[in-house]
Amino acid sequence: MRLTLVEDQVLLREGLAGLFRDAGHDVIGSYGHAEGLIDVVAEQQPDIVVLDIRLPPTHTDEGTRAAAEIKAAHPAIGVLLLSQHVETAHTVDLVTRGGFGYLLKDRVLDVADFLAAVDRVARGGSALDPHVVGQLMHRTDGRWGLTDLTAREHDVLRLMAQGYTNAGVAKRLFLSERTVEAHVRRLLGKLDITDTADAHRRVLAVLTYLRAA
């Protein structure tokens, strides 16, 4: 895939670029700030933009604002935000869209899982860090029927929101796929969300309800 990388820490930026190249991907742009990024993306047309949330000059939300601009102008381009800490204040709108991911930087250490997440986002799926999902669910618990979910249904929902298919959820919870399918049907019913055959659309539907709070 073709990637544009935006990270102000030089060592991390070079490390990520090397990781992607070693995996056979093409890093077509590598930058230390988000200034003019929307024009760069329009010109380069990458499959995915990987960028830090905190970038110069203020190191606050430059990355998040750039991500929102990119998704608004180029919905088909994947965007993966990286952060040192969980910051959900300005990302709720973004997590309801396809082709978006938000991972904590320490997830990079699990190279295979990280690269799989990047690939998933580039293909229009989602990849959300478990801690991010936990924060979103904590903020909205008690609304939209989330308190009606069982502990196991909460586990399934968190993994769905991270972008895992039923098979992926089953593997991580040591359940059969049929059991996971049953949990999914029940939790979607409790949340009043119409089930579909597309796992990513289910994720987006669930996150839309989380966003509503």
Side-chain angles (χ1 to χ4, degrees):
M1 72 185 78
R2 290 159 44 85
L3 301 102
T4 297
L5 179 60
V6 188
E7 166 60 58
D8 66 312
Q9 297 181 38
V10 177
L11 289 178
L12 179 56
R13 185 169 73 245
E14 292 303 312
L16 286 170
L19 185 154
F20 290 134
R21 291 186 179 113
D22 288 345
H25 303 308
D26 185 9
V27 179
I28 58 176
S30 181
Y31 309 96
H33 57 79
E35 184 178 354
L37 183 60
I38 190 67
D39 295 326
V40 170
V41 170
E43 179 182 352
Q44 294 179 342
Q45 289 295 305
D47 297 308
I48 185 170
V49 180
V50 179
L51 70 164
D52 191 3
I53 284 183
R54 296 186 176 185
L55 292 166
T58 69
H59 294 277
T60 53
D61 64 348
E62 282 84 357
T64 308
R65 287 189 283 111
E69 289 182 4
I70 293 168
K71 292 304 293 183
H74 309 281
I77 293 178
V79 173
L80 176 61
L81 285 174
L82 297 177
S83 179
Q84 196 70 41
H85 308 287
V86 176
E87 303 173 41
T88 60
H90 303 293
T91 58
V92 177
D93 286 337
L94 287 168
V95 300
T96 63
R97 307 183 187 188
F100 175 76
Y102 180 179
L103 299 176
L104 295 184
K105 290 183 178 179
D106 60 7
R107 298 291 161 183
V108 177
L109 299 176
D110 188 339
V111 175
D113 194 53
F114 174 69
L115 289 175
V118 173
D119 180 71
R120 194 159 63 241
V121 172
R123 294 175 182 274
S126 64
L128 299 180
D129 193 282
H131 294 292
V132 175
V133 176
Q135 287 287 340
L136 290 171
M137 293 182 68
H138 176 72
R139 287 173 55 190
T140 56
D141 224 353
R143 303 189 187 190
W144 307 106
L146 287 178
T147 53
D148 295 332
L149 302 185
T150 66
R152 180 59 78 191
E153 288 166 352
H154 269 281
D155 292 338
V156 171
L157 177 59
R158 287 189 180 95
L159 289 170
M160 282 175 58
Q162 291 169 49
Y164 292 110
T165 62
N166 286 351
V169 173
K171 180 179 179 181
R172 284 158 181 80
L173 295 181
F174 303 101
L175 300 172
S176 69
E177 275 194 64
R178 291 189 64 180
T179 299
V180 171
E181 289 171 1
H183 284 309
V184 170
R185 283 196 300 272
R186 283 195 293 270
L187 73 86
L188 288 173
K190 290 178 180 179
L191 295 174
D192 195 27
I193 300 172
T194 302
D195 196 4
T196 72
D198 188 327
H200 297 311
R201 292 190 180 189
R202 293 206 310 272
V203 171
L204 297 178
V206 171
L207 290 176
T208 297
Y209 263 71
L210 298 181
R211 172 180 176 271

